[in-house]
PDB file of all heavy atoms in Angstrom:
ATOM      1  N   VAL C  72     -41.571  -2.191  -5.233  1.00 98.00           N
ATOM      2  CA  VAL C  72     -42.404  -3.387  -5.156  1.00 98.00           C
ATOM      3  C   VAL C  72     -43.736  -2.926  -4.564  1.00 98.00           C
ATOM      4  O   VAL C  72     -43.747  -2.269  -3.525  1.00 98.00           O
ATOM      5  CB  VAL C  72     -41.766  -4.482  -4.283  1.00 98.00           C
ATOM      6  CG1 VAL C  72     -42.687  -5.689  -4.171  1.00 98.00           C
ATOM      7  CG2 VAL C  72     -40.405  -4.898  -4.846  1.00 98.00           C
ATOM      8  N   ILE C  73     -44.835  -3.291  -5.214  1.00 97.00           N
ATOM      9  CA  ILE C  73     -46.128  -2.711  -4.853  1.00 97.00           C
ATOM     10  C   ILE C  73     -46.877  -3.593  -3.856  1.00 97.00           C
ATOM     11  O   ILE C  73     -46.964  -4.815  -4.011  1.00 97.00           O
ATOM     12  CB  ILE C  73     -46.994  -2.502  -6.108  1.00 97.00           C
ATOM     13  CG1 ILE C  73     -46.287  -1.545  -7.065  1.00 97.00           C
ATOM     14  CG2 ILE C  73     -48.371  -1.954  -5.726  1.00 97.00           C
ATOM     15  CD1 ILE C  73     -45.941  -0.200  -6.470  1.00 97.00           C
ATOM     16  N   GLY C  74     -47.414  -2.947  -2.831  1.00 96.00           N
ATOM     17  CA  GLY C  74     -48.335  -3.554  -1.888  1.00 96.00           C
ATOM     18  C   GLY C  74     -49.513  -2.621  -1.706  1.00 96.00           C
ATOM     19  O   GLY C  74     -49.595  -1.565  -2.350  1.00 96.00           O
ATOM     20  N   SER C  75     -50.382  -2.963  -0.811  1.00 95.00           N
ATOM     21  CA  SER C  75     -51.572  -2.134  -0.621  1.00 95.00           C
ATOM     22  C   SER C  75     -51.231  -0.731  -0.136  1.00 95.00           C
ATOM     23  O   SER C  75     -51.925   0.236  -0.459  1.00 95.00           O
ATOM     24  CB  SER C  75     -52.523  -2.810   0.368  1.00 95.00           C
ATOM     25  OG  SER C  75     -51.875  -2.995   1.637  1.00 95.00           O
ATOM     26  N   GLY C  76     -50.135  -0.592   0.616  1.00 96.00           N
ATOM     27  CA  GLY C  76     -49.792   0.694   1.213  1.00 96.00           C
ATOM     28  C   GLY C  76     -49.134   1.681   0.280  1.00 96.00           C
ATOM     29  O   GLY C  76     -49.010   2.863   0.622  1.00 96.00           O
ATOM     30  N   ASN C  77     -48.690   1.235  -0.897  1.00 97.00           N
ATOM     31  CA  ASN C  77     -48.072   2.180  -1.847  1.00 97.00           C
ATOM     32  C   ASN C  77     -48.690   2.057  -3.230  1.00 97.00           C
ATOM     33  O   ASN C  77     -48.133   2.559  -4.205  1.00 97.00           O
ATOM     34  CB  ASN C  77     -46.556   1.977  -1.906  1.00 97.00           C
ATOM     35  CG  ASN C  77     -46.145   0.606  -2.416  1.00 97.00           C
ATOM     36  OD1 ASN C  77     -46.822  -0.390  -2.174  1.00 97.00           O
ATOM     37  ND2 ASN C  77     -45.024   0.539  -3.113  1.00 97.00           N
ATOM     38  N   PHE C  78     -49.818   1.388  -3.332  1.00 97.00           N
ATOM     39  CA  PHE C  78     -50.467   1.159  -4.622  1.00 97.00           C
ATOM     40  C   PHE C  78     -50.932   2.468  -5.258  1.00 97.00           C
ATOM     41  O   PHE C  78     -50.606   2.772  -6.412  1.00 97.00           O
ATOM     42  CB  PHE C  78     -51.649   0.199  -4.427  1.00 97.00           C
ATOM     43  CG  PHE C  78     -52.375  -0.146  -5.695  1.00 97.00           C
ATOM     44  CD1 PHE C  78     -51.914  -1.163  -6.515  1.00 97.00           C
ATOM     45  CD2 PHE C  78     -53.539   0.525  -6.049  1.00 97.00           C
ATOM     46  CE1 PHE C  78     -52.593  -1.490  -7.681  1.00 97.00           C
ATOM     47  CE2 PHE C  78     -54.223   0.203  -7.216  1.00 97.00           C
ATOM     48  CZ  PHE C  78     -53.737  -0.812  -8.028  1.00 97.00           C
ATOM     49  N   HIS C  79     -51.690   3.249  -4.523  1.00 97.00           N
ATOM     50  CA  HIS C  79     -52.295   4.449  -5.106  1.00 97.00           C
ATOM     51  C   HIS C  79     -51.261   5.530  -5.402  1.00 97.00           C
ATOM     52  O   HIS C  79     -51.333   6.195  -6.446  1.00 97.00           O
ATOM     53  CB  HIS C  79     -53.384   4.993  -4.182  1.00 97.00           C
ATOM     54  CG  HIS C  79     -54.562   4.078  -4.049  1.00 97.00           C
ATOM     55  ND1 HIS C  79     -55.362   3.729  -5.108  1.00 97.00           N
ATOM     56  CD2 HIS C  79     -55.074   3.430  -2.958  1.00 97.00           C
ATOM     57  CE1 HIS C  79     -56.322   2.907  -4.705  1.00 97.00           C
ATOM     58  NE2 HIS C  79     -56.168   2.707  -3.402  1.00 97.00           N
ATOM     59  N   VAL C  80     -50.302   5.724  -4.520  1.00 97.00           N
ATOM     60  CA  VAL C  80     -49.302   6.775  -4.759  1.00 97.00           C
ATOM     61  C   VAL C  80     -48.449   6.435  -5.973  1.00 97.00           C
ATOM     62  O   VAL C  80     -48.097   7.311  -6.779  1.00 97.00           O
ATOM     63  CB  VAL C  80     -48.444   7.010  -3.496  1.00 97.00           C
ATOM     64  CG1 VAL C  80     -47.543   5.819  -3.184  1.00 97.00           C
ATOM     65  CG2 VAL C  80     -47.594   8.271  -3.660  1.00 97.00           C
ATOM     66  N   THR C  81     -48.138   5.162  -6.157  1.00 98.00           N
ATOM     67  CA  THR C  81     -47.331   4.766  -7.305  1.00 98.00           C
ATOM     68  C   THR C  81     -48.113   4.934  -8.598  1.00 98.00           C
ATOM     69  O   THR C  81     -47.594   5.442  -9.604  1.00 98.00           O
ATOM     70  CB  THR C  81     -46.853   3.312  -7.151  1.00 98.00           C
ATOM     71  OG1 THR C  81     -46.189   3.162  -5.899  1.00 98.00           O
ATOM     72  CG2 THR C  81     -45.893   2.941  -8.269  1.00 98.00           C
ATOM     73  N   ASN C  82     -49.379   4.542  -8.594  1.00 98.00           N
ATOM     74  CA  ASN C  82     -50.202   4.724  -9.788  1.00 98.00           C
ATOM     75  C   ASN C  82     -50.347   6.201 -10.143  1.00 98.00           C
ATOM     76  O   ASN C  82     -50.399   6.564 -11.329  1.00 98.00           O
ATOM     77  CB  ASN C  82     -51.582   4.095  -9.580  1.00 98.00           C
ATOM     78  CG  ASN C  82     -51.558   2.597  -9.782  1.00 98.00           C
ATOM     79  OD1 ASN C  82     -50.606   2.051 -10.350  1.00 98.00           O
ATOM     80  ND2 ASN C  82     -52.589   1.913  -9.318  1.00 98.00           N
ATOM     81  N   ALA C  83     -50.420   7.058  -9.132  1.00 97.00           N
ATOM     82  CA  ALA C  83     -50.517   8.496  -9.403  1.00 97.00           C
ATOM     83  C   ALA C  83     -49.237   9.023 -10.037  1.00 97.00           C
ATOM     84  O   ALA C  83     -49.280   9.877 -10.936  1.00 97.00           O
ATOM     85  CB  ALA C  83     -50.822   9.250  -8.111  1.00 97.00           C
TER      86      ALA C  83
END
Side-chain angles (χ1 to χ4, degrees):
V72 177
I73 299 303
S75 60
N77 63 326
F78 182 84
H79 294 298
V80 68
T81 306
N82 280 344

